[in-house]
Amino acid sequence: MTLHRLSAPEIAEQLDLCFEVEFTFIDNTLIAQRIAQLEPEVQQQLLHTARRVAASHIQVAAQLCTNAITTIFAVSGGDHTAQQAQLLDSWADQVMDLYDRFGLAKSMQMVNDFDHFQRYQRQETVGVSLKEVEVRLLHFLNGLSGRKMKLAPAEGEHWSDSETIYLPSASLLLPQRELNRWLYSAIVVYHWAEARFSTFQPPLFARMMDASDHLLHLFESVNGLRLERLIQRYLPGQWRRMEQLRQAEGGGELSSDWTQVVRLLEEGDLSLQTALKVTEAWSRQLQPLPRPCYQGRLALSRVAATREKRIGEERAQFRVSFMDYRRQQSPPPAMAPERETGDEEEESDLQWSSEQAIATLPLQLRPTAESIIQDFGEIPPEYLTAAGPADYLLLQQKAREEDPGEVWGGTYHEEGAFLYDEWDHRRESYRKGWCAVRELEVEGVEDPFVEEALQRYQLEIRHLRKTFETFRNENRILKRQSSGDDLDLEALVEAQVDLRQGRELSDQLFIRTSRYERNIAVAFVVDMSGSTRGWINDAEREALLLMCEALQTLGDRYAIYGFSGVSRKRCDIYVIKRFEEGYGEAIRQRISGIRPQDYTRMGFAIRHINQILNQTGAKSRLMITLTDGKPDDYSDYHGEYGIEDTRKALLEARHLGIHAYCITIDEEAKSYLPRLYGPAAFTQIDDPRQLPYKITDIYRRLTSR
Amino acid sequence: MHEIEKHLITEEPYYSPVGEEIAIFEASYRNGLPVLLKGPTGCGKSRFMEYMAWRLQRPLITVSCHDDLSTSDLVGRFLIRGGETVWIDGPLALAVKVGAICYLDEVVEARKDTLVVIHPLADDRRLLPIEKLGQILEAPPEFALAVSYNPGYQSLLKDLKQSTRQRFVALEFNYPEAMHEAEIVVRESGVDLPLAQQLVSFAGMTRNLKGSGLDEGASTRLLVHAAKLIQSGIAPTVASQCAIAQALTDDPEMMPAIFELADSVF
Ligand SMILES: Nc1ncnc2c1ncn2[C@@H]1O[C@H](COP(=O)(O)OP(=O)(O)OP(=O)(O)O)[C@@H](O)[C@H]1O
Ligand SMILES: [Mg+2]
């Protein structure tokens, strides 16, 4: 089918709609005229992109279209169309990504600077983007020893605050893809080494905090050489790659002065002290070396701030746990803080020696101890004194900060939350780490609800127990086995007959029971949005109670989670019963305590439960959601967006081999339901009072063989 | 009775103690107390049992537990041979009769109702009832029961019942300290010490990943495997990839990360 070329008014009409001109007053006439001159395929492409980007921000979309015409589509050329289309697509992707992460200003910058984008574009050929490698890099970093560090995107150059390594969103300095990939790892290793090999210890701050730029930069060079030697010692393979990177950059040999510096460093056992001493002694003769691509600037003041906060917290934590440990353990363990001066027999070995000090500590104290040694080179003596009230206070305060209930109080951060992607159907891509999900506990409530419900459904419960009984761990009896737990009488009689008639006696005379074990894990996922208030909430709670009672007989593993949320920054999963918890009074009270909360954002809940179900390792994994209908969150999860994201999450479940089943309690049959639940099976219940009966029935059908 | 001879260990197995496990096991043995060995896979539990059996000069009968293991599999059953029914002792009954050491490997894999038979054997009665024969065997002082279990697999289904676990003296096993582990690798494979240290430091990295992407880090066993490959001429990075990384995960993001750690260490 050939497309026909759209006229300027036709285009203007579409753009008007897309850019909501009634409200935005954007004038599309000029753009439309220009687009009208383009090839039909290009026209379609542009309009499609306009719609995609407009879903994020209308102004950005309008500007992008205008700029695309003067840059990408400036030369209209038959052969180039496909290339141009691709270019536009990735430009749009970049712009939207920036918009998500840094907001309007940054994304507009990208829209208005095509050259800047083209530099980004090198990524397609030789560059490597952080997105491609970040999971792998994080695993890699986690594998390295010492304090656990994190990764985050940097706005410009890479740097580290001694806890987080900030990385550029793309690596494209070097002429080959492979090298650019190595560069990412080298950056990570370099910053890890910086923290691991005690750069950030007290003498550094004492001597460098107020130093001149020249001195600081000189120290960076000296310290860089020191770290490279240490990396050579502990990660020789990595060091060889770093050498190759330096060569690819055109890095040269060291001058004789610098070779001398390296010798001094090695003589001083590559310690920070030596590096500082050498820097100061040589500050007149030497100029800083050009920084190799993997070496970052020292962000001294930011490191100092992070460090100060960490030191306080870790001191308190260490003191408190060490006290606990001592109380349990008398006599106290021989603590051997490192670094007695003088015993210089073999070249003292940083890693082994601090490891030995740590090895004398109980397991739970070791990570903190490692981190403290990285900060001080030892466990300072005052850490071994009794914890005071201030320590407990500080820990309490920290715990409060981390309390998921307090997200909105104080400074908001995403720490401690699970981050899940969300599907944006207009953009046809995932928004990365979009939803901050936290698990909260449901408070148990002691009220007559449970008793009344159990009373009311007494008969059903008894009946359910019976029906469920029949298909719990069915035992299949295998007859005529050559070994088994009992004799197979029938076979025995036949054998006797055979024997009398002179035939050979069969040895297959036993019965063996083979147990069929139901290896099922089921998660019930309950809508706790505000709209369930009243009838539906009651029905949900009763249904859950009934289900639990019935499942007691069956012995399947099950968990119950609720969900609700306000916007993507606060997606709450309410824990009602975890898989490992047994059913009992506490769980009954929590079921009773299920209260309607806020809005219905559904995708994150399904994704979170997917993860949980997957960890059970059960052969059959089942997710049964109970909702009152449409996914809906305030502002950004309305209508199609929510439906499409939920649908996508259900698809993900299916890919993971999870059977999803949705039960909707709603009076009217909604037209979108088949689309929404397409990837899953679903049923609709119009009377909430039916739910308890329906759910048990459905469960029986779903899990019988 | 010569059947049992093959369970006797005649040559001293190489076992390098990590703590006081040898003394504790001996004391338990002398007092007729059963022992529970806890620890991650491949950290020397089976080797330790071989060593103790040799040291105490008792036959060692090992049963690997699985979820189809029935009481009859442990105690014994009737079979028909040439027109006659004959009783065949299971490994547990055999061990009780001859006063051997019975080692149930990975007990949690066995179903809970199967495990109940060891209850009277594992407390001060030291009795093994054989229901089908209407007999009750009394364990001689030489008999010992040991079971192993890996608490790392946090499968909720697979936890030992309190009534089972509270009958045992528990010995906790873990990977030895770096230097010690390197020596074990040297001794088992014949590689030189610096290389063994590199392997151990690589193992340490995978152990750091436990809980953040890996279920388990590399065990001493895997290190020995890799070392043996290296000793036969395979390059260290390749050996680490096949013998260690591939054995740990199938995750497409984790695998290259571990490969890269290996590339970094050697
Ligand atoms: N302390 C040790 N002394 C000697 N060898 C050891 C020691 N620890 C581990 N090994 C080596 O590790 C290998 C694996 O140990 P073993 O088979 O005993 O593990 P396991 O703890 O029984 O593991 P699983 O739970 O998987 O059965 C041994 O073959 C031996 O080479
Ligand atoms: Mg074993």
Side-chain angles (χ1 to χ4, degrees), chain B residues 14-16 41-47 184 188 220-221 224:
Chain B
Y14 165 64
Y15 179 75
S16 168
T41 180
C43 68
K45 299 186 294 290
S46 299
R47 182 59 70 85
I184 293 175
E188 288 280 294
T220 312
R221 175 189 300 126
V224 171

Side-chain angles (χ1 to χ4, degrees), chain A residues 232-250:
Chain A
Q232 181 180 16
R233 193 182 286 178
Y234 293 107
L235 302 172
Q238 190 62 44
W239 176 78
R240 284 194 302 273
R241 285 188 179 178
M242 287 167 128
E243 283 291 284
Q244 287 191 41
L245 291 176
R246 288 206 314 117
Q247 273 161 23
E249 271 193 299

Side-chain angles (χ1 to χ4, degrees), chain A residues 88-300:
Chain A
L88 178 63
D89 237 13
S90 37
W91 196 4
D93 281 343
Q94 285 290 353
V95 164
M96 286 188 293
D97 188 48
L98 281 181
Y99 179 75
D100 284 350
R101 285 194 306 180
F102 303 114
L104 183 59
K106 276 261 175 288
S107 67
M108 266 304 198
Q109 219 176 332
M110 177 71 93
V111 169
N112 287 327
D113 188 348
F114 182 64
D115 288 343
H116 178 51
F117 160 67
Q118 283 217 304
R119 250 175 288 128
Y120 257 76
Q121 205 44 35
R122 270 190 67 182
Q123 239 168 262
E124 298 292 300
T125 46
V126 298
V128 175
S129 73
L130 180 57
K131 260 192 201 159
E132 284 173 65
V133 293
E134 64 183 333
V135 179
R136 200 200 78 219
L137 275 180
L138 186 64
H139 287 321
F140 176 70
L141 176 62
N142 277 335
L144 300 171
S145 62
R147 177 188 305 138
K148 278 257 177 283
M149 295 177 86
K150 287 178 283 193
L151 295 178
E155 283 194 37
E157 260 198 282
H158 58 96
W159 64 285
S160 167
D161 64 5
S162 79
E163 284 181 11
T164 305
I165 300 172
Y166 295 86
L167 295 169
S169 58
S171 158
L172 31 91
L173 278 167
L174 299 164
Q176 285 160 30
R177 233 178 116 71
E178 184 71 355
L179 291 177
N180 280 319
R181 214 193 316 259
W182 286 5
L183 177 54
Y184 262 129
S185 314
I187 293 173
V188 165
V189 167
Y190 185 86
H191 286 294
W192 164 81
E194 214 170 52
R196 180 73 176 86
F197 299 121
S198 41
T199 303
F200 304 124
Q201 291 189 356
L204 173 75
F205 299 99
R207 314 258 277 273
M208 286 293 149
M209 211 51 173
D210 304 313
S212 66
D213 274 0
H214 170 73
L215 199 64
L216 184 64
H217 290 167
L218 195 61
F219 172 74
E220 285 177 344
S221 296
V222 174
N223 196 44
L225 290 173
R226 176 179 85 91
L227 294 178
E228 278 168 25
R229 293 300 160 281
L230 282 160
I231 292 170
Q232 181 180 16
R233 193 182 286 178
Y234 293 107
L235 302 172
Q238 190 62 44
W239 176 78
R240 284 194 302 273
R241 285 188 179 178
M242 287 167 128
E243 283 291 284
Q244 287 191 41
L245 291 176
R246 288 206 314 117
Q247 273 161 23
E249 271 193 299
E253 297 284 300
L254 291 180
S255 68
S256 63
D257 276 355
W258 278 106
T259 317
Q260 174 75 356
V261 166
V262 172
R263 231 200 55 234
L264 289 173
L265 284 172
E266 264 162 0
E267 276 167 13
D269 201 24
L270 300 175
S271 70
L272 171 68
Q273 290 286 5
T274 317
L276 288 166
K277 235 184 280 161
V278 170
T279 307
E280 277 160 4
W282 290 63
S283 67
R284 299 251 171 78
Q285 285 106 301
L286 286 178
Q287 285 305 312
L289 292 168
R291 269 182 309 139
C293 48
Y294 45 78
Q295 184 178 326
R297 280 257 112 93
L298 275 180
L300 270 194

Side-chain angles (χ1 to χ4, degrees), chain A residues 316 319-320 323-324 327 387-397:
Chain A
R319 277 185 176 164
V320 169
M323 275 298 105
D324 282 353
R327 225 170 282 136
D391 293 322
Y392 288 98
L393 211 66
L394 204 135
L395 283 188
Q396 261 171 24
Q397 189 185 334

Side-chain angles (χ1 to χ4, degrees), chain B residues 42-59:
Chain B
C43 68
K45 299 186 294 290
S46 299
R47 182 59 70 85
F48 171 68
M49 285 309 299
E50 285 165 26
Y51 174 77
M52 289 313 298
W54 171 83
R55 202 177 152 102
L56 298 166
Q57 280 303 302
R58 300 311 312 159

